[in-house]
Amino acid sequence: MRSIDRSKRIARRVDVRVGANLAVLFAPLVGVVLFGLHLFSANELLELTMGELDERLDQMASAWKEVDAERRETMWSVLTEQLARDGGGFSVRDQAGDVLVAGGSRSDAAATSQGWRWLQPVGIGAGEDLIASRRLAPGRTATIWISSDRFVQERDELLFGFWLSLAIGVGLVTIVALPATRRALAPLREATRVAESIEPARLGARLATRGTRDDVDRHALAVNQLLDQIESGLARITSFSHEVAHELRTPVHRIASATELWLLEHPEEDPSTATIEEIHRTAEQIARLVEGLLLLARGEGDQLGPRMQEIDASELCETLREIYGPACEEAGIRFEVECRVGRVRADVALMLRALGNLLDNARRHVPAGGFIRLRATTDAVEPDFVAFEVEDSGAGIPIAEWTRVFDRFARTDDSDRSGLGLGLPISRAILRAHGGDVELREGSCPEAGARFVARWPRGAS
Amino acid sequence: MRILFLEDDVRTAQTLRRGLEGQGFEVAHAADVAAAIAQLAEGPIDAAILDVMVPGGSGYDVLERIRESRLHVPVLMLTALDGISDRVEGLDRGADDYLVKPFAFAELLARLRALLRRPAKRVDPIRVDGLEIDPIHRRVLCQGHRLDLTRTEFDLLLAFVERRGEVLNRALLLELVWGYRFDPGTNVVDVHVNRLRRKLEPLDPIRTVRGVGYAFD
């Protein structure tokens, strides 16, 4: 699977595509040129072979003219012998077609005639004959033939050579074109890398511009401008929501104080108690929301200012167990704690809140009879990091929702309104202020649902 | 007892003033720094509650004035949550405690009382209504029977007993038990209180103050 994915990925790369396109364009062009060359050389080869036959015809002519019978016979037999090597033969016929002299492998009647055609040298196959004739004297025609085998073999060797050079040529072009295109596309790849690193909370990255004003450079400039606009727009929205939360705090505080005071002043049950209590609860809920939003706003502005102290990870685990254990027990949930790290640096109150949010979130999604597992370990990938895992036996979170769960007010299940919808974003903001992050990972065992991993550098400062 | 109360939001101040006066405090309210300093001149105070962000300066100016005049009164600072450095700075400058806005009135009251009382570390067993609590050996006798309490439950009970009659809200209870100020989410504190209540049966000294928190009577 992986190698298929990999080859797909390579096939999608622009430089590979450009190289392939070049090769595809280049191949027919070279093919046509090479084919012409091939035709030309095959012709030359044929002419050379026909020239040999011509020489044999000269020999025949001189044998025909020879007066000395003994020498003439010797000449005929030498010719026969020579032609036999090429699987050929000769004959001299009179006007009536009767054979006067003949020699060689087959009768000339078996020899196929070859007319001259443009593509003849290419068209000649093995097992055919190459034939030449000449009039030796009035009414006396000499015919000579050899098998085409040798010619075909030599021609095909030539042909193979041409195709081989075509293949090498195309390969060379591709090899030269690939790095060249890759170099030309380097800024685009860099731009992709930068673009991938950008997310709403980290819009600061910009593409490198070289001032060359070429296509790539202008594209980078345009993208940077776009990012500038998005960033300033987002900053306005963020500061607006920050201000809204800030402004809401005082009036909400007024409501909460007034209702609280009323409740304190009226300790006896009263017809209005339930109403005032409801108003008070709601005001407190809004106050918590506002406080959460302000905390997130500070996190975005890198102003969370954690006050680091060194603490035993086991102490964090124990405190969390003490705080959340009884609530889990009441809900019929098994709460397991495992600590395998020593001392860590953290803002204890913030970290308790971050991890507490994860536990609280788990508690609200695990049915009775399930479990929640808090496990503190050294991070498997980065040994400088500690990882606090919160795993539960709930239904888990569909992968499609994995990034969304860290959004404010994101709920995977619309019927779940028990939380404020800020817990996970707050956990993430706190971990990021510690130089770490909260991630969602696959469960470590089949019965596990969601597994949140809060990781941060052991010696965070 | 006369309390200097610096708070610029008049309506919030009115509510809290009414609450404090309801608890028997005499409240000298000031809406800005100058008014607060004027209040200082008017008469001695027993404690000060100072908002950091006020018109005409900051609560720290008043804090400094109080410390300059060698007034050994407890000062509780009210800080905004987004002024993170405030809480550190406040304590550095000689504040005795701080409270992050928005806060519950019960918490303000409990902290103020704690500052005024400044109880010495309890060493003697505390006896109340059939309960005997030994803070040193962390033992509790309930009508003569030894109670088996977890560390959390013991600290919770001690927090209640040391603040008998006061209404304690959930955030304060958490801090008293674990020493951290944080929001643990939903009903965690209630679960702990309910477990403690069950162990204290047949005694039922912990009263729920609806919408606010709990009180030990």
Side-chain angles (χ1 to χ4, degrees), chain A residues 242 246 249-250 253-254 258 260-261 263-265 269 277 280 288 298 322-324 326 329-330 348 352 360 363, chain B residues 9 11-12 15 18-19 81-82 84 103-106 151 178 180 182-184 186-188 191-192 195 198 210-211:
Chain A
H242 188 170
H246 194 92
R249 210 161 44 170
T250 308
H253 188 201
R254 271 185 219 141
E260 188 193 0
L261 207 59
L263 288 165
L264 282 169
E265 286 167 351
E269 199 81 1
E277 199 187 2
H280 183 65
R288 282 228 306 281
R298 281 190 359 246
E322 281 172 10
I323 297 175
Y324 291 95
E329 210 176 290
E330 303 274 299
V348 179
L352 281 175
D360 199 55
R363 201 169 55 88
Chain B
D9 182 62
R11 275 186 279 173
T12 304
T15 312
R18 188 164 57 96
L81 180 85
D82 14 7
I84 266 299
F103 49 84
F105 176 71
R151 198 192 74 109
W178 285 287
Y180 299 117
F182 79 105
D183 176 7
T186 55
N187 62 343
V188 171
V191 170
H192 286 283
R195 286 162 79 94
R198 253 176 278 145
R210 286 184 66 174

Short mmCIF file of all heavy atoms in Angstrom, two decimals, chain A residues 242 246 249-250 253-254 258 260-261 263-265 269 277 280 288 298 322-324 326 329-330 348 352 360 363, chain B residues 9 11-12 15 18-19 81-82 84 103-106 151 178 180 182-184 186-188 191-192 195 198 210-211:
data_model
loop_
_atom_site.label_atom_id
_atom_site.label_comp_id
_atom_site.label_asym_id
_atom_site.label_seq_id
_atom_site.Cartn_x
_atom_site.Cartn_y
_atom_site.Cartn_z
N HIS A 242 -12.29 39.51 22.15
CA HIS A 242 -11.64 39.74 23.43
C HIS A 242 -12.31 40.90 24.16
O HIS A 242 -12.64 40.82 25.35
CB HIS A 242 -10.16 40.04 23.16
CG HIS A 242 -9.34 40.10 24.41
ND1 HIS A 242 -7.98 40.14 24.40
CD2 HIS A 242 -9.69 40.11 25.71
CE1 HIS A 242 -7.53 40.18 25.63
NE2 HIS A 242 -8.55 40.17 26.45
N HIS A 246 -14.42 40.97 27.57
CA HIS A 246 -13.98 41.88 28.62
C HIS A 246 -15.12 42.77 29.12
O HIS A 246 -15.34 42.94 30.31
CB HIS A 246 -12.84 42.75 28.08
CG HIS A 246 -12.10 43.47 29.14
ND1 HIS A 246 -10.97 42.94 29.74
CD2 HIS A 246 -12.32 44.65 29.73
CE1 HIS A 246 -10.54 43.78 30.64
NE2 HIS A 246 -11.33 44.83 30.66
N ARG A 249 -17.84 41.10 31.25
CA ARG A 249 -17.47 40.60 32.57
C ARG A 249 -18.13 41.40 33.69
O ARG A 249 -18.71 40.83 34.60
CB ARG A 249 -15.96 40.64 32.71
CG ARG A 249 -15.46 39.57 33.62
CD ARG A 249 -14.03 39.32 33.41
NE ARG A 249 -13.34 40.59 33.28
CZ ARG A 249 -12.03 40.70 33.29
NH1 ARG A 249 -11.31 39.63 33.38
NH2 ARG A 249 -11.46 41.86 33.18
N THR A 250 -18.04 42.70 33.59
CA THR A 250 -18.59 43.52 34.68
C THR A 250 -20.10 43.33 34.84
O THR A 250 -20.56 43.04 35.95
CB THR A 250 -18.22 44.99 34.46
OG1 THR A 250 -16.81 45.05 34.26
CG2 THR A 250 -18.59 45.84 35.64
N HIS A 253 -20.86 40.01 36.24
CA HIS A 253 -20.43 39.97 37.63
C HIS A 253 -21.49 40.63 38.51
O HIS A 253 -21.79 40.17 39.62
CB HIS A 253 -19.09 40.70 37.77
CG HIS A 253 -18.49 40.56 39.12
ND1 HIS A 253 -17.55 41.42 39.61
CD2 HIS A 253 -18.71 39.65 40.10
CE1 HIS A 253 -17.23 41.06 40.83
NE2 HIS A 253 -17.91 39.99 41.15
N ARG A 254 -22.06 41.71 37.99
CA ARG A 254 -23.11 42.39 38.75
C ARG A 254 -24.28 41.47 39.02
O ARG A 254 -24.79 41.37 40.14
CB ARG A 254 -23.62 43.61 37.97
CG ARG A 254 -22.85 44.86 38.26
CD ARG A 254 -23.51 46.01 37.53
NE ARG A 254 -22.52 46.90 37.00
CZ ARG A 254 -22.60 47.50 35.82
NH1 ARG A 254 -23.63 47.28 35.03
NH2 ARG A 254 -21.66 48.30 35.42
N ALA A 258 -25.35 40.13 42.67
CA ALA A 258 -26.67 40.48 43.22
C ALA A 258 -27.45 39.23 43.60
O ALA A 258 -28.04 39.13 44.68
CB ALA A 258 -27.45 41.31 42.20
N GLU A 260 -26.26 36.23 44.16
CA GLU A 260 -25.58 35.52 45.24
C GLU A 260 -25.93 36.15 46.60
O GLU A 260 -26.24 35.45 47.57
CB GLU A 260 -24.07 35.54 45.01
CG GLU A 260 -23.33 34.65 46.00
CD GLU A 260 -21.84 34.89 46.00
OE1 GLU A 260 -21.38 35.76 45.24
OE2 GLU A 260 -21.14 34.22 46.77
N LEU A 261 -25.91 37.47 46.59
CA LEU A 261 -26.22 38.18 47.83
C LEU A 261 -27.64 37.89 48.27
O LEU A 261 -27.90 37.65 49.45
CB LEU A 261 -26.03 39.68 47.59
CG LEU A 261 -25.67 40.49 48.82
CD1 LEU A 261 -24.38 39.97 49.42
CD2 LEU A 261 -25.50 41.95 48.45
N LEU A 263 -29.35 35.24 47.63
CA LEU A 263 -29.41 33.87 48.14
C LEU A 263 -28.84 33.78 49.55
O LEU A 263 -29.34 33.04 50.40
CB LEU A 263 -28.65 32.92 47.20
CG LEU A 263 -29.35 32.64 45.87
CD1 LEU A 263 -28.40 32.01 44.88
CD2 LEU A 263 -30.58 31.75 46.08
N LEU A 264 -27.76 34.57 49.80
CA LEU A 264 -27.16 34.56 51.14
C LEU A 264 -28.08 35.22 52.16
O LEU A 264 -28.14 34.81 53.32
CB LEU A 264 -25.81 35.27 51.12
CG LEU A 264 -24.63 34.48 50.54
CD1 LEU A 264 -23.43 35.37 50.33
CD2 LEU A 264 -24.28 33.30 51.44
N GLU A 265 -28.79 36.25 51.69
CA GLU A 265 -29.66 36.98 52.61
C GLU A 265 -30.98 36.26 52.87
O GLU A 265 -31.71 36.60 53.78
CB GLU A 265 -29.97 38.38 52.04
CG GLU A 265 -28.78 39.32 52.17
CD GLU A 265 -28.96 40.57 51.33
OE1 GLU A 265 -29.91 40.64 50.52
OE2 GLU A 265 -28.14 41.48 51.46
N GLU A 269 -35.95 28.72 52.46
CA GLU A 269 -36.59 28.46 51.17
C GLU A 269 -37.72 29.47 50.96
O GLU A 269 -38.50 29.75 51.88
CB GLU A 269 -37.15 27.04 51.14
CG GLU A 269 -37.41 26.52 49.75
CD GLU A 269 -36.16 26.01 49.07
OE1 GLU A 269 -35.06 26.02 49.69
OE2 GLU A 269 -36.27 25.61 47.92
N GLU A 277 -31.95 31.30 41.98
CA GLU A 277 -30.86 30.34 41.87
C GLU A 277 -30.55 30.06 40.40
O GLU A 277 -29.39 29.96 40.00
CB GLU A 277 -31.23 29.05 42.59
CG GLU A 277 -30.03 28.20 42.90
CD GLU A 277 -30.43 26.84 43.47
OE1 GLU A 277 -31.65 26.55 43.56
OE2 GLU A 277 -29.53 26.07 43.80
N HIS A 280 -28.75 32.92 38.99
CA HIS A 280 -27.39 32.92 39.51
C HIS A 280 -26.53 31.88 38.78
O HIS A 280 -25.42 32.15 38.36
CB HIS A 280 -27.39 32.65 41.01
CG HIS A 280 -26.02 32.70 41.60
ND1 HIS A 280 -25.29 33.86 41.64
CD2 HIS A 280 -25.24 31.73 42.15
CE1 HIS A 280 -24.11 33.61 42.18
NE2 HIS A 280 -24.06 32.33 42.50
N ARG A 288 -18.14 32.02 33.58
CA ARG A 288 -17.10 31.01 33.28
C ARG A 288 -16.76 31.01 31.80
O ARG A 288 -15.61 30.87 31.41
CB ARG A 288 -17.59 29.62 33.69
CG ARG A 288 -17.51 29.35 35.17
CD ARG A 288 -16.87 27.99 35.48
NE ARG A 288 -17.48 26.86 34.79
CZ ARG A 288 -18.60 26.30 35.20
NH1 ARG A 288 -19.23 26.76 36.24
NH2 ARG A 288 -19.09 25.26 34.55
N ARG A 298 -5.89 35.36 25.67
CA ARG A 298 -4.54 35.55 26.18
C ARG A 298 -3.60 34.50 25.63
O ARG A 298 -2.47 34.78 25.30
CB ARG A 298 -4.53 35.51 27.70
CG ARG A 298 -5.00 36.82 28.27
CD ARG A 298 -4.78 36.95 29.77
NE ARG A 298 -4.21 35.80 30.41
CZ ARG A 298 -4.85 35.04 31.29
NH1 ARG A 298 -6.10 35.30 31.60
NH2 ARG A 298 -4.25 34.04 31.85
N GLU A 322 -7.20 12.45 43.21
CA GLU A 322 -8.01 12.86 44.36
C GLU A 322 -9.20 13.70 43.94
O GLU A 322 -10.29 13.59 44.48
CB GLU A 322 -7.15 13.66 45.35
CG GLU A 322 -6.27 12.79 46.21
CD GLU A 322 -5.31 13.63 47.01
OE1 GLU A 322 -5.47 14.87 47.03
OE2 GLU A 322 -4.40 13.06 47.62
N ILE A 323 -8.96 14.58 42.96
CA ILE A 323 -10.04 15.48 42.55
C ILE A 323 -11.10 14.73 41.73
O ILE A 323 -12.29 14.86 41.98
CB ILE A 323 -9.49 16.67 41.74
CG1 ILE A 323 -8.56 17.51 42.62
CG2 ILE A 323 -10.63 17.54 41.21
CD1 ILE A 323 -7.88 18.63 41.90
N TYR A 324 -10.65 13.94 40.75
CA TYR A 324 -11.61 13.36 39.81
C TYR A 324 -12.01 11.92 40.14
O TYR A 324 -13.03 11.44 39.67
CB TYR A 324 -11.07 13.44 38.38
CG TYR A 324 -11.02 14.86 37.90
CD1 TYR A 324 -9.86 15.61 38.00
CD2 TYR A 324 -12.16 15.47 37.38
CE1 TYR A 324 -9.83 16.93 37.59
CE2 TYR A 324 -12.14 16.78 36.97
CZ TYR A 324 -10.97 17.52 37.08
OH TYR A 324 -10.95 18.81 36.68
N PRO A 326 -13.20 10.37 42.93
CA PRO A 326 -14.52 10.14 43.53
C PRO A 326 -15.66 10.39 42.55
O PRO A 326 -16.63 9.63 42.52
CB PRO A 326 -14.55 11.17 44.67
CG PRO A 326 -13.12 11.40 45.01
CD PRO A 326 -12.38 11.29 43.72
N GLU A 329 -15.90 7.43 40.41
CA GLU A 329 -16.43 6.32 41.19
C GLU A 329 -17.95 6.41 41.31
O GLU A 329 -18.66 5.43 41.11
CB GLU A 329 -15.81 6.36 42.59
CG GLU A 329 -15.65 5.02 43.26
CD GLU A 329 -14.93 5.21 44.58
OE1 GLU A 329 -13.71 5.53 44.56
OE2 GLU A 329 -15.60 5.08 45.62
N GLU A 330 -18.44 7.62 41.60
CA GLU A 330 -19.88 7.83 41.73
C GLU A 330 -20.59 7.48 40.43
O GLU A 330 -21.71 6.99 40.44
CB GLU A 330 -20.20 9.29 42.06
CG GLU A 330 -19.53 9.81 43.31
CD GLU A 330 -20.34 9.50 44.57
OE1 GLU A 330 -21.47 9.99 44.64
OE2 GLU A 330 -19.80 8.79 45.44
N VAL A 348 1.48 24.69 37.78
CA VAL A 348 0.67 23.59 38.31
C VAL A 348 -0.82 23.87 38.18
O VAL A 348 -1.59 23.02 37.74
CB VAL A 348 1.05 23.30 39.77
CG1 VAL A 348 0.20 22.18 40.32
CG2 VAL A 348 2.52 22.92 39.85
N LEU A 352 -3.09 21.58 35.93
CA LEU A 352 -4.19 20.82 36.53
C LEU A 352 -5.49 21.11 35.78
O LEU A 352 -6.30 20.24 35.54
CB LEU A 352 -4.36 21.19 38.01
CG LEU A 352 -3.37 20.57 38.98
CD1 LEU A 352 -3.59 21.13 40.37
CD2 LEU A 352 -3.53 19.05 38.99
N ASP A 360 -12.38 15.65 32.67
CA ASP A 360 -13.80 16.01 32.76
C ASP A 360 -14.52 15.66 31.46
O ASP A 360 -15.63 15.14 31.47
CB ASP A 360 -13.91 17.51 33.06
CG ASP A 360 -15.27 17.84 33.63
OD1 ASP A 360 -15.64 17.21 34.63
OD2 ASP A 360 -15.95 18.70 33.04
N ARG A 363 -14.96 12.00 31.39
CA ARG A 363 -16.00 11.57 32.33
C ARG A 363 -17.39 11.76 31.75
O ARG A 363 -18.30 10.98 32.00
CB ARG A 363 -15.86 12.38 33.62
CG ARG A 363 -16.50 11.76 34.83
CD ARG A 363 -16.08 12.51 36.07
NE ARG A 363 -16.38 13.93 35.96
CZ ARG A 363 -17.54 14.48 36.31
NH1 ARG A 363 -18.49 13.73 36.79
NH2 ARG A 363 -17.72 15.77 36.20
N ASP B 9 -16.60 50.34 39.56
CA ASP B 9 -17.93 50.06 39.01
C ASP B 9 -18.96 50.24 40.12
O ASP B 9 -19.08 49.42 41.03
CB ASP B 9 -17.99 48.65 38.43
CG ASP B 9 -19.34 48.38 37.79
OD1 ASP B 9 -19.70 49.08 36.82
OD2 ASP B 9 -20.07 47.49 38.30
N ARG B 11 -22.19 50.10 40.43
CA ARG B 11 -23.27 49.17 40.74
C ARG B 11 -22.76 47.90 41.40
O ARG B 11 -23.37 47.36 42.31
CB ARG B 11 -24.07 48.86 39.47
CG ARG B 11 -25.12 49.95 39.25
CD ARG B 11 -26.01 49.60 38.11
NE ARG B 11 -25.37 49.94 36.84
CZ ARG B 11 -25.89 49.60 35.65
NH1 ARG B 11 -27.00 48.90 35.60
NH2 ARG B 11 -25.30 49.97 34.55
N THR B 12 -21.60 47.41 40.93
CA THR B 12 -20.99 46.25 41.60
C THR B 12 -20.68 46.62 43.04
O THR B 12 -20.95 45.86 43.98
CB THR B 12 -19.68 45.85 40.89
OG1 THR B 12 -19.98 45.61 39.52
CG2 THR B 12 -19.08 44.59 41.48
N THR B 15 -23.70 46.58 45.36
CA THR B 15 -24.12 45.23 45.76
C THR B 15 -23.19 44.68 46.84
O THR B 15 -23.63 44.17 47.86
CB THR B 15 -24.09 44.29 44.53
OG1 THR B 15 -24.75 44.94 43.46
CG2 THR B 15 -24.76 42.98 44.84
N ARG B 18 -23.53 46.39 50.14
CA ARG B 18 -24.71 45.93 50.87
C ARG B 18 -24.42 44.58 51.53
O ARG B 18 -24.77 44.35 52.69
CB ARG B 18 -25.88 45.79 49.88
CG ARG B 18 -27.21 45.49 50.52
CD ARG B 18 -28.33 45.78 49.53
NE ARG B 18 -28.21 45.01 48.28
CZ ARG B 18 -28.85 43.85 48.05
NH1 ARG B 18 -29.65 43.36 48.96
NH2 ARG B 18 -28.71 43.22 46.93
N GLY B 19 -23.77 43.71 50.77
CA GLY B 19 -23.43 42.39 51.31
C GLY B 19 -22.52 42.49 52.51
O GLY B 19 -22.74 41.83 53.54
N LEU B 81 -8.46 39.08 35.39
CA LEU B 81 -7.84 37.83 35.00
C LEU B 81 -6.76 38.03 33.95
O LEU B 81 -5.74 37.37 33.96
CB LEU B 81 -8.91 36.88 34.47
CG LEU B 81 -8.37 35.52 34.04
CD1 LEU B 81 -8.29 34.60 35.23
CD2 LEU B 81 -9.24 34.93 32.97
N ASP B 82 -6.97 38.97 33.02
CA ASP B 82 -5.98 39.10 31.96
C ASP B 82 -4.72 39.82 32.43
O ASP B 82 -3.74 39.86 31.73
CB ASP B 82 -6.52 39.74 30.67
CG ASP B 82 -7.85 40.43 30.86
OD1 ASP B 82 -8.30 40.53 32.02
OD2 ASP B 82 -8.43 40.87 29.86
N ILE B 84 -2.20 38.97 34.22
CA ILE B 84 -1.59 37.83 34.91
C ILE B 84 -0.52 38.30 35.87
O ILE B 84 -0.42 37.84 37.00
CB ILE B 84 -0.99 36.86 33.87
CG1 ILE B 84 -2.02 35.79 33.56
CG2 ILE B 84 0.28 36.19 34.38
CD1 ILE B 84 -2.42 34.98 34.75
N PHE B 103 -15.52 37.36 40.93
CA PHE B 103 -15.42 36.42 42.04
C PHE B 103 -16.79 36.32 42.69
O PHE B 103 -17.67 37.16 42.48
CB PHE B 103 -14.39 36.91 43.06
CG PHE B 103 -14.60 38.35 43.43
CD1 PHE B 103 -15.52 38.69 44.41
CD2 PHE B 103 -13.91 39.36 42.76
CE1 PHE B 103 -15.74 40.01 44.73
CE2 PHE B 103 -14.14 40.68 43.09
CZ PHE B 103 -15.05 41.02 44.06
N ALA B 104 -16.94 35.29 43.51
CA ALA B 104 -18.20 35.13 44.23
C ALA B 104 -18.10 35.92 45.52
O ALA B 104 -17.03 36.00 46.13
CB ALA B 104 -18.45 33.66 44.51
N PHE B 105 -19.22 36.48 45.92
CA PHE B 105 -19.22 37.29 47.15
C PHE B 105 -18.81 36.43 48.36
O PHE B 105 -18.04 36.88 49.20
CB PHE B 105 -20.60 37.90 47.38
CG PHE B 105 -20.69 38.65 48.68
CD1 PHE B 105 -20.02 39.85 48.83
CD2 PHE B 105 -21.42 38.14 49.75
CE1 PHE B 105 -20.08 40.54 50.03
CE2 PHE B 105 -21.48 38.82 50.95
CZ PHE B 105 -20.81 40.02 51.10
N ALA B 106 -19.30 35.19 48.36
CA ALA B 106 -18.97 34.30 49.48
C ALA B 106 -17.46 34.14 49.59
O ALA B 106 -16.90 34.06 50.69
CB ALA B 106 -19.64 32.95 49.27
N ARG B 151 -7.48 11.63 52.58
CA ARG B 151 -6.75 12.87 52.77
C ARG B 151 -7.62 14.07 52.37
O ARG B 151 -7.76 15.05 53.09
CB ARG B 151 -5.48 12.86 51.91
CG ARG B 151 -4.44 13.86 52.31
CD ARG B 151 -3.40 13.95 51.22
NE ARG B 151 -3.92 14.68 50.07
CZ ARG B 151 -3.52 15.90 49.73
NH1 ARG B 151 -2.59 16.50 50.42
NH2 ARG B 151 -4.03 16.51 48.69
N TRP B 178 -6.69 21.71 48.03
CA TRP B 178 -5.55 21.34 47.19
C TRP B 178 -4.53 22.46 47.01
O TRP B 178 -3.47 22.26 46.45
CB TRP B 178 -6.01 20.86 45.82
CG TRP B 178 -6.59 19.49 45.92
CD1 TRP B 178 -5.91 18.34 46.12
CD2 TRP B 178 -7.97 19.13 45.86
NE1 TRP B 178 -6.77 17.28 46.19
CE2 TRP B 178 -8.04 17.74 46.02
CE3 TRP B 178 -9.15 19.85 45.69
CZ2 TRP B 178 -9.25 17.04 46.02
CZ3 TRP B 178 -10.33 19.15 45.67
CH2 TRP B 178 -10.38 17.77 45.84
N TYR B 180 -4.67 24.95 45.05
CA TYR B 180 -4.58 25.52 43.71
C TYR B 180 -5.85 26.26 43.37
O TYR B 180 -6.95 25.81 43.70
CB TYR B 180 -4.36 24.43 42.67
CG TYR B 180 -3.09 23.66 42.89
CD1 TYR B 180 -3.14 22.30 43.16
CD2 TYR B 180 -1.86 24.29 42.82
CE1 TYR B 180 -1.97 21.58 43.38
CE2 TYR B 180 -0.70 23.58 43.03
CZ TYR B 180 -0.75 22.23 43.30
OH TYR B 180 0.38 21.54 43.50
N PHE B 182 -8.07 26.81 40.54
CA PHE B 182 -8.44 26.44 39.17
C PHE B 182 -9.86 25.93 39.15
O PHE B 182 -10.43 25.58 40.18
CB PHE B 182 -7.46 25.42 38.58
CG PHE B 182 -7.68 24.01 39.04
CD1 PHE B 182 -8.25 23.09 38.20
CD2 PHE B 182 -7.31 23.62 40.31
CE1 PHE B 182 -8.46 21.78 38.62
CE2 PHE B 182 -7.51 22.31 40.72
CZ PHE B 182 -8.09 21.40 39.87
N ASP B 183 -10.39 25.91 37.94
CA ASP B 183 -11.77 25.51 37.73
C ASP B 183 -11.78 24.05 37.28
O ASP B 183 -11.33 23.74 36.20
CB ASP B 183 -12.37 26.43 36.65
CG ASP B 183 -13.78 26.02 36.31
OD1 ASP B 183 -14.32 25.13 36.98
OD2 ASP B 183 -14.34 26.61 35.37
N PRO B 184 -12.23 23.13 38.13
CA PRO B 184 -12.12 21.72 37.78
C PRO B 184 -13.25 21.23 36.89
O PRO B 184 -13.29 20.07 36.53
CB PRO B 184 -12.21 21.03 39.15
CG PRO B 184 -13.11 21.93 39.92
CD PRO B 184 -12.89 23.32 39.43
N THR B 186 -17.53 20.99 36.05
CA THR B 186 -18.76 20.48 36.67
C THR B 186 -18.75 20.18 38.17
O THR B 186 -18.24 20.95 38.97
CB THR B 186 -19.25 19.27 35.87
OG1 THR B 186 -18.18 18.34 35.78
CG2 THR B 186 -19.62 19.70 34.47
N ASN B 187 -19.30 19.03 38.53
CA ASN B 187 -19.74 18.84 39.92
C ASN B 187 -18.72 18.17 40.83
O ASN B 187 -19.08 17.54 41.82
CB ASN B 187 -21.02 17.99 39.92
CG ASN B 187 -20.75 16.62 39.33
OD1 ASN B 187 -19.75 16.42 38.65
ND2 ASN B 187 -21.64 15.68 39.60
N VAL B 188 -17.42 18.34 40.51
CA VAL B 188 -16.40 17.63 41.26
C VAL B 188 -16.47 17.91 42.76
O VAL B 188 -16.45 16.98 43.58
CB VAL B 188 -15.00 17.97 40.70
CG1 VAL B 188 -13.93 17.42 41.61
CG2 VAL B 188 -14.86 17.42 39.31
N VAL B 191 -19.33 16.25 44.61
CA VAL B 191 -19.11 14.82 44.84
C VAL B 191 -18.33 14.63 46.13
O VAL B 191 -18.68 13.80 46.98
CB VAL B 191 -18.37 14.18 43.65
CG1 VAL B 191 -17.92 12.77 44.00
CG2 VAL B 191 -19.26 14.17 42.42
N HIS B 192 -17.27 15.44 46.32
CA HIS B 192 -16.46 15.30 47.53
C HIS B 192 -17.26 15.64 48.78
O HIS B 192 -17.19 14.93 49.78
CB HIS B 192 -15.23 16.22 47.44
CG HIS B 192 -14.20 15.72 46.48
ND1 HIS B 192 -13.36 14.68 46.78
CD2 HIS B 192 -13.89 16.08 45.22
CE1 HIS B 192 -12.58 14.44 45.76
NE2 HIS B 192 -12.87 15.28 44.79
N ARG B 195 -19.66 12.86 49.64
CA ARG B 195 -19.01 11.70 50.25
C ARG B 195 -18.68 11.97 51.72
O ARG B 195 -18.85 11.10 52.57
CB ARG B 195 -17.74 11.35 49.48
CG ARG B 195 -18.05 10.70 48.15
CD ARG B 195 -16.85 10.76 47.24
NE ARG B 195 -15.88 9.73 47.59
CZ ARG B 195 -15.85 8.53 47.01
NH1 ARG B 195 -16.76 8.21 46.11
NH2 ARG B 195 -14.93 7.67 47.35
N ARG B 198 -21.79 11.70 53.80
CA ARG B 198 -22.20 10.32 54.06
C ARG B 198 -21.38 9.72 55.21
O ARG B 198 -21.88 8.99 56.03
CB ARG B 198 -22.04 9.48 52.78
CG ARG B 198 -23.39 9.14 52.16
CD ARG B 198 -23.23 8.41 50.86
NE ARG B 198 -22.99 9.34 49.77
CZ ARG B 198 -22.20 9.08 48.73
NH1 ARG B 198 -21.53 7.94 48.66
NH2 ARG B 198 -22.08 9.96 47.78
N ARG B 210 -28.05 27.11 48.72
CA ARG B 210 -28.42 26.95 47.32
C ARG B 210 -27.81 28.03 46.45
O ARG B 210 -27.86 29.21 46.73
CB ARG B 210 -29.95 26.94 47.18
CG ARG B 210 -30.53 25.64 47.68
CD ARG B 210 -32.00 25.57 47.47
NE ARG B 210 -32.36 25.55 46.04
CZ ARG B 210 -33.61 25.37 45.63
NH1 ARG B 210 -34.58 25.24 46.49
NH2 ARG B 210 -33.87 25.37 44.35
N GLY B 211 -27.19 27.55 45.36
CA GLY B 211 -26.63 28.47 44.38
C GLY B 211 -25.29 29.06 44.78
O GLY B 211 -24.62 29.69 43.97
#
